[in-house]
Amino acid sequence: MHPISQAPRCGVTVHIIPRGSMSIAPQSTARAAVVAIFATLLAVACSPDSNGPSSPAFRADRESARAGSGAPSLGSAASFAVLSAAPGVGGAVTCTDATIGGDVGSTGGPASVVRTGCTITGSIVAPVSSQVVTDFGSAYDALGGVPCDQTLTGTLAGVTLRPGVYCFDGAATLTGTLTLAGPSGATWIFKIGTSGTGALTGTNFNVVMSGGAQSCSVYWWVAQAATMTASKFLGNILSGAAITVTGGTFSGRALAKAAVTLTGANLSPCSGGTGNPPPQKEHCNQGVGNGPEGCDPGNSNNHNPSNDENGGTPGNPGRKH
């Protein structure tokens, strides 16, 4: 009599010999009992209610592990809201009618950061140190090597994603609203162009978070350029080419191996994760004749904006008339 094969469970096929199909010698009775018990335990362990791969508990454990895993450290590059880390002295940041809430860095000299109607609340560092460039490059390479959990296609409009690593083989053209749902401390990594080439383009693309998730814990690794237009974007972009943001809002960091251009956009520090340190207020010197610092705490000189902005002679307290 042939044994009956039970459908594979947990990748194991259990062969059960029907009772009465053959005689069992007394010395084989104990062995048969052990086999029967094993089959029963295996069936229970792999049932939909167990912690097998298809069970909710298993998925929750896996999600918990993903939520607790962090992306590679940005190191000293984390202190910048905008960074153009082009090779050599090729860095360039152009900010027009925009606001940047945080520090701005470039591998170029002071002239590489061009502002026209642009407000920068942090410091401008140009050129940045070699350590900043090294840390950014290390983080970029490390993110590029993170294994994918799932490959995505389409615009992501109306999609809700739990924590994980999501990849586009080539370019990603995104629009609509993407919801990231997960607890505080959860991490999302999006990789664009894992085949070697691919740009990120977002037009009227909005990213929202729920469940306590925080924007600094979202990373967008891009093989080539990243372009955001009229979008409500969040997260850390680490781009292999230029980053261009036109209109809309951006909560996070724009870190690129080429130029960064913001026009009519509002880039603010992200929340959670490694975060951006709050902008440090410059020390103010209210002595007469010391020149403007752009941080005057008050006005003790009547009829003038401040003690020092309109010149004067150092050592002469106050301004006559």
Side-chain angles (χ1 to χ4, degrees), residues 155-184:
T155 66
L156 300 188
V159 173
T160 297
L161 295 176
R162 306 293 295 178
V165 181
Y166 300 95
C167 298
F168 287 82
D169 289 337
T173 302
L174 309 180
T175 189
T177 298
L178 166 66
T179 300
L180 305 180
S184 174

PDB file of all heavy atoms in Angstrom, residues 155-184:
ATOM      1  N   THR A 155       3.283  55.063  -9.942  1.00  0.00           N
ATOM      2  CA  THR A 155       3.442  56.415  -9.403  1.00  0.00           C
ATOM      3  C   THR A 155       3.387  56.479  -7.881  1.00  0.00           C
ATOM      4  O   THR A 155       3.701  57.509  -7.301  1.00  0.00           O
ATOM      5  CB  THR A 155       2.342  57.333  -9.949  1.00  0.00           C
ATOM      6  OG1 THR A 155       1.063  56.885  -9.440  1.00  0.00           O
ATOM      7  CG2 THR A 155       2.309  57.314 -11.479  1.00  0.00           C
ATOM      8  N   LEU A 156       2.951  55.407  -7.235  1.00  0.00           N
ATOM      9  CA  LEU A 156       2.744  55.310  -5.781  1.00  0.00           C
ATOM     10  C   LEU A 156       1.565  56.151  -5.295  1.00  0.00           C
ATOM     11  O   LEU A 156       1.389  56.338  -4.087  1.00  0.00           O
ATOM     12  CB  LEU A 156       4.010  55.713  -5.002  1.00  0.00           C
ATOM     13  CG  LEU A 156       5.271  54.887  -5.281  1.00  0.00           C
ATOM     14  CD1 LEU A 156       6.379  55.273  -4.304  1.00  0.00           C
ATOM     15  CD2 LEU A 156       4.995  53.392  -5.191  1.00  0.00           C
ATOM     16  N   ALA A 157       0.751  56.658  -6.192  1.00  0.00           N
ATOM     17  CA  ALA A 157      -0.430  57.430  -5.794  1.00  0.00           C
ATOM     18  C   ALA A 157      -1.412  56.527  -5.052  1.00  0.00           C
ATOM     19  O   ALA A 157      -1.783  55.456  -5.532  1.00  0.00           O
ATOM     20  CB  ALA A 157      -1.108  58.031  -7.022  1.00  0.00           C
ATOM     21  N   GLY A 158      -1.802  56.961  -3.852  1.00  0.00           N
ATOM     22  CA  GLY A 158      -2.772  56.213  -3.069  1.00  0.00           C
ATOM     23  C   GLY A 158      -2.215  54.971  -2.398  1.00  0.00           C
ATOM     24  O   GLY A 158      -2.975  54.169  -1.848  1.00  0.00           O
ATOM     25  N   VAL A 159      -0.901  54.808  -2.399  1.00  0.00           N
ATOM     26  CA  VAL A 159      -0.274  53.616  -1.821  1.00  0.00           C
ATOM     27  C   VAL A 159       0.105  53.883  -0.364  1.00  0.00           C
ATOM     28  O   VAL A 159       0.541  54.975  -0.009  1.00  0.00           O
ATOM     29  CB  VAL A 159       0.977  53.223  -2.635  1.00  0.00           C
ATOM     30  CG1 VAL A 159       1.742  52.093  -1.951  1.00  0.00           C
ATOM     31  CG2 VAL A 159       0.580  52.821  -4.047  1.00  0.00           C
ATOM     32  N   THR A 160      -0.064  52.869   0.496  1.00  0.00           N
ATOM     33  CA  THR A 160       0.388  52.917   1.882  1.00  0.00           C
ATOM     34  C   THR A 160       1.457  51.859   2.081  1.00  0.00           C
ATOM     35  O   THR A 160       1.257  50.690   1.725  1.00  0.00           O
ATOM     36  CB  THR A 160      -0.771  52.666   2.865  1.00  0.00           C
ATOM     37  OG1 THR A 160      -1.747  53.701   2.723  1.00  0.00           O
ATOM     38  CG2 THR A 160      -0.271  52.657   4.304  1.00  0.00           C
ATOM     39  N   LEU A 161       2.606  52.246   2.621  1.00  0.00           N
ATOM     40  CA  LEU A 161       3.722  51.321   2.789  1.00  0.00           C
ATOM     41  C   LEU A 161       4.150  51.259   4.252  1.00  0.00           C
ATOM     42  O   LEU A 161       4.275  52.284   4.917  1.00  0.00           O
ATOM     43  CB  LEU A 161       4.913  51.759   1.931  1.00  0.00           C
ATOM     44  CG  LEU A 161       4.709  51.709   0.411  1.00  0.00           C
ATOM     45  CD1 LEU A 161       5.932  52.261  -0.299  1.00  0.00           C
ATOM     46  CD2 LEU A 161       4.408  50.292  -0.055  1.00  0.00           C
ATOM     47  N   ARG A 162       4.369  50.032   4.719  1.00  0.00           N
ATOM     48  CA  ARG A 162       4.915  49.813   6.050  1.00  0.00           C
ATOM     49  C   ARG A 162       6.434  49.948   5.986  1.00  0.00           C
ATOM     50  O   ARG A 162       7.010  50.040   4.906  1.00  0.00           O
ATOM     51  CB  ARG A 162       4.518  48.420   6.557  1.00  0.00           C
ATOM     52  CG  ARG A 162       3.022  48.138   6.520  1.00  0.00           C
ATOM     53  CD  ARG A 162       2.258  49.013   7.497  1.00  0.00           C
ATOM     54  NE  ARG A 162       2.611  48.735   8.879  1.00  0.00           N
ATOM     55  CZ  ARG A 162       2.117  49.388   9.918  1.00  0.00           C
ATOM     56  NH1 ARG A 162       1.246  50.365   9.723  1.00  0.00           N
ATOM     57  NH2 ARG A 162       2.471  49.081  11.149  1.00  0.00           N
ATOM     58  N   PRO A 163       7.142  49.959   7.124  1.00  0.00           N
ATOM     59  CA  PRO A 163       8.600  50.073   7.096  1.00  0.00           C
ATOM     60  C   PRO A 163       9.232  48.979   6.246  1.00  0.00           C
ATOM     61  O   PRO A 163       8.764  47.843   6.217  1.00  0.00           O
ATOM     62  CB  PRO A 163       8.982  49.919   8.573  1.00  0.00           C
ATOM     63  CG  PRO A 163       7.766  50.350   9.330  1.00  0.00           C
ATOM     64  CD  PRO A 163       6.605  49.923   8.513  1.00  0.00           C
ATOM     65  N   GLY A 164      10.290  49.329   5.547  1.00  0.00           N
ATOM     66  CA  GLY A 164      10.959  48.349   4.703  1.00  0.00           C
ATOM     67  C   GLY A 164      11.892  49.012   3.720  1.00  0.00           C
ATOM     68  O   GLY A 164      12.107  50.225   3.745  1.00  0.00           O
ATOM     69  N   VAL A 165      12.456  48.201   2.832  1.00  0.00           N
ATOM     70  CA  VAL A 165      13.362  48.681   1.785  1.00  0.00           C
ATOM     71  C   VAL A 165      12.676  48.444   0.448  1.00  0.00           C
ATOM     72  O   VAL A 165      12.430  47.295   0.063  1.00  0.00           O
ATOM     73  CB  VAL A 165      14.719  47.951   1.836  1.00  0.00           C
ATOM     74  CG1 VAL A 165      15.650  48.494   0.756  1.00  0.00           C
ATOM     75  CG2 VAL A 165      15.351  48.093   3.216  1.00  0.00           C
ATOM     76  N   TYR A 166      12.364  49.521  -0.257  1.00  0.00           N
ATOM     77  CA  TYR A 166      11.588  49.464  -1.494  1.00  0.00           C
ATOM     78  C   TYR A 166      12.450  49.972  -2.656  1.00  0.00           C
ATOM     79  O   TYR A 166      13.096  51.014  -2.535  1.00  0.00           O
ATOM     80  CB  TYR A 166      10.324  50.301  -1.368  1.00  0.00           C
ATOM     81  CG  TYR A 166       9.410  49.828  -0.250  1.00  0.00           C
ATOM     82  CD1 TYR A 166       9.462  50.415   1.012  1.00  0.00           C
ATOM     83  CD2 TYR A 166       8.518  48.782  -0.452  1.00  0.00           C
ATOM     84  CE1 TYR A 166       8.643  49.971   2.042  1.00  0.00           C
ATOM     85  CE2 TYR A 166       7.685  48.336   0.572  1.00  0.00           C
ATOM     86  CZ  TYR A 166       7.759  48.937   1.816  1.00  0.00           C
ATOM     87  OH  TYR A 166       6.944  48.492   2.835  1.00  0.00           O
ATOM     88  N   CYS A 167      12.429  49.238  -3.749  1.00  0.00           N
ATOM     89  CA  CYS A 167      13.342  49.540  -4.848  1.00  0.00           C
ATOM     90  C   CYS A 167      12.619  49.718  -6.178  1.00  0.00           C
ATOM     91  O   CYS A 167      11.616  49.052  -6.448  1.00  0.00           O
ATOM     92  CB  CYS A 167      14.373  48.425  -4.985  1.00  0.00           C
ATOM     93  SG  CYS A 167      15.413  48.217  -3.518  1.00  0.00           S
ATOM     94  N   PHE A 168      13.146  50.626  -6.985  1.00  0.00           N
ATOM     95  CA  PHE A 168      12.784  50.771  -8.389  1.00  0.00           C
ATOM     96  C   PHE A 168      14.006  50.364  -9.205  1.00  0.00           C
ATOM     97  O   PHE A 168      15.104  50.894  -8.993  1.00  0.00           O
ATOM     98  CB  PHE A 168      12.409  52.217  -8.718  1.00  0.00           C
ATOM     99  CG  PHE A 168      11.076  52.663  -8.185  1.00  0.00           C
ATOM    100  CD1 PHE A 168      10.942  53.084  -6.872  1.00  0.00           C
ATOM    101  CD2 PHE A 168       9.946  52.674  -9.006  1.00  0.00           C
ATOM    102  CE1 PHE A 168       9.722  53.501  -6.374  1.00  0.00           C
ATOM    103  CE2 PHE A 168       8.716  53.090  -8.510  1.00  0.00           C
ATOM    104  CZ  PHE A 168       8.598  53.507  -7.198  1.00  0.00           C
ATOM    105  N   ASP A 169      13.812  49.439 -10.132  1.00  0.00           N
ATOM    106  CA  ASP A 169      14.940  48.994 -10.946  1.00  0.00           C
ATOM    107  C   ASP A 169      15.537  50.152 -11.743  1.00  0.00           C
ATOM    108  O   ASP A 169      16.758  50.256 -11.875  1.00  0.00           O
ATOM    109  CB  ASP A 169      14.510  47.885 -11.917  1.00  0.00           C
ATOM    110  CG  ASP A 169      14.226  46.580 -11.184  1.00  0.00           C
ATOM    111  OD1 ASP A 169      14.762  46.398 -10.078  1.00  0.00           O
ATOM    112  OD2 ASP A 169      13.460  45.755 -11.725  1.00  0.00           O
ATOM    113  N   GLY A 170      14.650  50.991 -12.289  1.00  0.00           N
ATOM    114  CA  GLY A 170      15.094  52.125 -13.087  1.00  0.00           C
ATOM    115  C   GLY A 170      14.583  53.429 -12.508  1.00  0.00           C
ATOM    116  O   GLY A 170      14.573  53.621 -11.292  1.00  0.00           O
ATOM    117  N   ALA A 171      14.127  54.314 -13.379  1.00  0.00           N
ATOM    118  CA  ALA A 171      13.630  55.618 -12.949  1.00  0.00           C
ATOM    119  C   ALA A 171      12.300  55.477 -12.221  1.00  0.00           C
ATOM    120  O   ALA A 171      11.551  54.515 -12.427  1.00  0.00           O
ATOM    121  CB  ALA A 171      13.477  56.538 -14.149  1.00  0.00           C
ATOM    122  N   ALA A 172      12.003  56.458 -11.358  1.00  0.00           N
ATOM    123  CA  ALA A 172      10.726  56.504 -10.646  1.00  0.00           C
ATOM    124  C   ALA A 172      10.081  57.858 -10.918  1.00  0.00           C
ATOM    125  O   ALA A 172      10.677  58.902 -10.637  1.00  0.00           O
ATOM    126  CB  ALA A 172      10.927  56.303  -9.151  1.00  0.00           C
ATOM    127  N   THR A 173       8.881  57.834 -11.489  1.00  0.00           N
ATOM    128  CA  THR A 173       8.118  59.051 -11.748  1.00  0.00           C
ATOM    129  C   THR A 173       6.893  59.013 -10.849  1.00  0.00           C
ATOM    130  O   THR A 173       5.973  58.222 -11.069  1.00  0.00           O
ATOM    131  CB  THR A 173       7.697  59.135 -13.227  1.00  0.00           C
ATOM    132  OG1 THR A 173       8.878  59.098 -14.047  1.00  0.00           O
ATOM    133  CG2 THR A 173       6.943  60.422 -13.497  1.00  0.00           C
ATOM    134  N   LEU A 174       6.881  59.861  -9.824  1.00  0.00           N
ATOM    135  CA  LEU A 174       5.896  59.744  -8.764  1.00  0.00           C
ATOM    136  C   LEU A 174       4.953  60.942  -8.731  1.00  0.00           C
ATOM    137  O   LEU A 174       5.341  62.071  -9.041  1.00  0.00           O
ATOM    138  CB  LEU A 174       6.614  59.629  -7.409  1.00  0.00           C
ATOM    139  CG  LEU A 174       7.719  58.567  -7.334  1.00  0.00           C
ATOM    140  CD1 LEU A 174       8.347  58.554  -5.957  1.00  0.00           C
ATOM    141  CD2 LEU A 174       7.180  57.184  -7.700  1.00  0.00           C
ATOM    142  N   THR A 175       3.712  60.664  -8.341  1.00  0.00           N
ATOM    143  CA  THR A 175       2.699  61.699  -8.197  1.00  0.00           C
ATOM    144  C   THR A 175       1.656  61.215  -7.202  1.00  0.00           C
ATOM    145  O   THR A 175       1.690  60.068  -6.751  1.00  0.00           O
ATOM    146  CB  THR A 175       2.051  62.037  -9.558  1.00  0.00           C
ATOM    147  OG1 THR A 175       1.218  63.188  -9.417  1.00  0.00           O
ATOM    148  CG2 THR A 175       1.226  60.874 -10.079  1.00  0.00           C
ATOM    149  N   GLY A 176       0.720  62.092  -6.837  1.00  0.00           N
ATOM    150  CA  GLY A 176      -0.306  61.679  -5.883  1.00  0.00           C
ATOM    151  C   GLY A 176       0.235  61.641  -4.464  1.00  0.00           C
ATOM    152  O   GLY A 176       1.245  62.270  -4.147  1.00  0.00           O
ATOM    153  N   THR A 177      -0.439  60.892  -3.603  1.00  0.00           N
ATOM    154  CA  THR A 177      -0.085  60.844  -2.178  1.00  0.00           C
ATOM    155  C   THR A 177       0.378  59.456  -1.772  1.00  0.00           C
ATOM    156  O   THR A 177      -0.322  58.465  -1.990  1.00  0.00           O
ATOM    157  CB  THR A 177      -1.278  61.261  -1.307  1.00  0.00           C
ATOM    158  OG1 THR A 177      -1.635  62.612  -1.613  1.00  0.00           O
ATOM    159  CG2 THR A 177      -0.929  61.172   0.173  1.00  0.00           C
ATOM    160  N   LEU A 178       1.566  59.400  -1.181  1.00  0.00           N
ATOM    161  CA  LEU A 178       2.121  58.174  -0.622  1.00  0.00           C
ATOM    162  C   LEU A 178       2.050  58.276   0.898  1.00  0.00           C
ATOM    163  O   LEU A 178       2.490  59.268   1.479  1.00  0.00           O
ATOM    164  CB  LEU A 178       3.574  57.993  -1.059  1.00  0.00           C
ATOM    165  CG  LEU A 178       4.396  56.938  -0.309  1.00  0.00           C
ATOM    166  CD1 LEU A 178       3.852  55.541  -0.573  1.00  0.00           C
ATOM    167  CD2 LEU A 178       5.868  57.028  -0.695  1.00  0.00           C
ATOM    168  N   THR A 179       1.503  57.252   1.538  1.00  0.00           N
ATOM    169  CA  THR A 179       1.408  57.230   3.004  1.00  0.00           C
ATOM    170  C   THR A 179       2.394  56.220   3.558  1.00  0.00           C
ATOM    171  O   THR A 179       2.431  55.065   3.129  1.00  0.00           O
ATOM    172  CB  THR A 179      -0.011  56.862   3.463  1.00  0.00           C
ATOM    173  OG1 THR A 179      -0.943  57.831   2.945  1.00  0.00           O
ATOM    174  CG2 THR A 179      -0.096  56.847   4.985  1.00  0.00           C
ATOM    175  N   LEU A 180       3.194  56.662   4.521  1.00  0.00           N
ATOM    176  CA  LEU A 180       4.129  55.778   5.214  1.00  0.00           C
ATOM    177  C   LEU A 180       3.588  55.554   6.621  1.00  0.00           C
ATOM    178  O   LEU A 180       3.518  56.484   7.427  1.00  0.00           O
ATOM    179  CB  LEU A 180       5.525  56.409   5.261  1.00  0.00           C
ATOM    180  CG  LEU A 180       6.112  56.810   3.904  1.00  0.00           C
ATOM    181  CD1 LEU A 180       7.502  57.412   4.075  1.00  0.00           C
ATOM    182  CD2 LEU A 180       6.158  55.622   2.949  1.00  0.00           C
ATOM    183  N   ALA A 181       3.199  54.326   6.913  1.00  0.00           N
ATOM    184  CA  ALA A 181       2.537  54.009   8.180  1.00  0.00           C
ATOM    185  C   ALA A 181       3.432  53.121   9.025  1.00  0.00           C
ATOM    186  O   ALA A 181       3.802  52.013   8.622  1.00  0.00           O
ATOM    187  CB  ALA A 181       1.205  53.308   7.917  1.00  0.00           C
ATOM    188  N   GLY A 182       3.792  53.621  10.208  1.00  0.00           N
ATOM    189  CA  GLY A 182       4.627  52.829  11.086  1.00  0.00           C
ATOM    190  C   GLY A 182       4.936  53.585  12.355  1.00  0.00           C
ATOM    191  O   GLY A 182       4.672  54.783  12.461  1.00  0.00           O
ATOM    192  N   PRO A 183       5.503  52.914  13.322  1.00  0.00           N
ATOM    193  CA  PRO A 183       5.768  53.531  14.620  1.00  0.00           C
ATOM    194  C   PRO A 183       6.978  54.450  14.592  1.00  0.00           C
ATOM    195  O   PRO A 183       7.770  54.449  13.643  1.00  0.00           O
ATOM    196  CB  PRO A 183       6.040  52.322  15.524  1.00  0.00           C
ATOM    197  CG  PRO A 183       6.645  51.318  14.584  1.00  0.00           C
ATOM    198  CD  PRO A 183       5.925  51.508  13.274  1.00  0.00           C
ATOM    199  N   SER A 184       7.110  55.226  15.642  1.00  0.00           N
ATOM    200  CA  SER A 184       8.296  56.066  15.805  1.00  0.00           C
ATOM    201  C   SER A 184       9.534  55.178  15.849  1.00  0.00           C
ATOM    202  O   SER A 184       9.556  54.145  16.495  1.00  0.00           O
ATOM    203  CB  SER A 184       8.184  56.873  17.099  1.00  0.00           C
ATOM    204  OG  SER A 184       9.373  57.587  17.360  1.00  0.00           O
TER     205      SER A 184
END
